[in-house]
Amino acid sequence: MTYFIDTPEGPDWLHDAINSLICGDNVTAPRAHGKSVALVTPQSLWEALAEHLGAQENIAPLLTDNREFPIERLLCEIVADGRRVHGTAYDLAIEALGHPKGIRPTALHDVAEELIRPHANEYGRARAEELEAERAADLAEQRRADAA
C-alpha cells in the first residue's frame, strides 16, 4: 500500500493540516456518509508542545497540571499570526520553542507534523472512500437521468 504522504496530494495535505492545527482547528478525515472525524485536536498539540517546552534546556519545566495550556496556546497563536502581526513577540516565541529539527519553519511545525503524520494513511483511506461514494452517487444520478 502506498503511504499517503508519498502521493501527489499528500505533501499539500500535510502542509495544510499542520497550519490548520497550529491555527487551532482539528485535523479531520472525511467520512463517505456523514460527519468528518477528528484525527488530531489542538488540545493534543498543546500537550505535545508542553512536553517539547519542558525538554528545552533554556526553559524551566512548566507546570502542566492546568489542562487549559495557556502558554502553549499563546505560543500557537503568535506563531500562527506570524512576525508581521506580532514582531518581537514572534521572535521570542520562536526562540522559546527552539530550533526546528526538520525542514519546517519552526519547532512548532515539527511538533504538529509528528502528531499528524501517523494519521496520513487514515486520512487517505477516508478521502478515497468519500470520493468513491461521490462517484457512486454521480453514477446513480446519471442512470436515473438516462432512464428518464
Side-chain angles (χ1 to χ4, degrees):
M1 181 173 132
T2 304
Y3 188 55
F4 180 70
I5 295 297
D6 296 333
T7 66
E9 64 183 22
D12 289 338
W13 172 81
L14 181 60
H15 177 268
D16 293 345
I18 289 169
N19 288 329
S20 292
L21 187 61
I22 289 172
C23 289
D25 296 328
N26 288 336
V27 175
T28 62
R31 288 194 177 158
H33 301 288
K35 188 176 174 184
S36 61
V37 61
L39 300 174
V40 183
T41 66
Q43 181 75 19
S44 300
L45 177 61
W46 303 330
E47 290 171 3
L49 185 55
E51 290 176 19
H52 171 79
L53 290 173
Q56 296 297 312
E57 293 177 9
N58 60 332
I59 298 176
L62 300 172
L63 297 175
T64 58
D65 290 342
N66 181 352
R67 296 284 98 187
E68 296 294 318
F69 296 99
I71 293 169
E72 293 77 15
R73 291 172 64 193
L74 174 69
L75 289 171
C76 289
E77 288 288 331
I78 290 171
V79 171
D81 289 343
R83 181 177 282 118
R84 281 183 282 160
V85 174
H86 293 290
T88 303
Y90 176 85
D91 295 333
L92 292 171
I94 297 302
E95 184 179 329
L97 290 166
H99 297 290
K101 293 178 184 154
I103 60 170
R104 302 284 172 213
T106 69
L108 179 58
H109 289 79
D110 286 342
V111 172
E113 180 178 356
E114 288 175 22
L115 289 170
I116 295 167
R117 189 174 277 276
H119 298 283
N121 284 342
E122 185 178 349
Y123 173 84
R125 279 190 302 275
R127 181 69 177 133
E129 289 171 6
E130 178 186 46
L131 292 173
E132 183 59 35
E134 288 175 4
R135 279 192 286 272
D138 290 345
L139 184 58
E141 183 68 29
Q142 183 64 40
R143 288 180 181 159
R144 277 190 295 246
D146 290 346

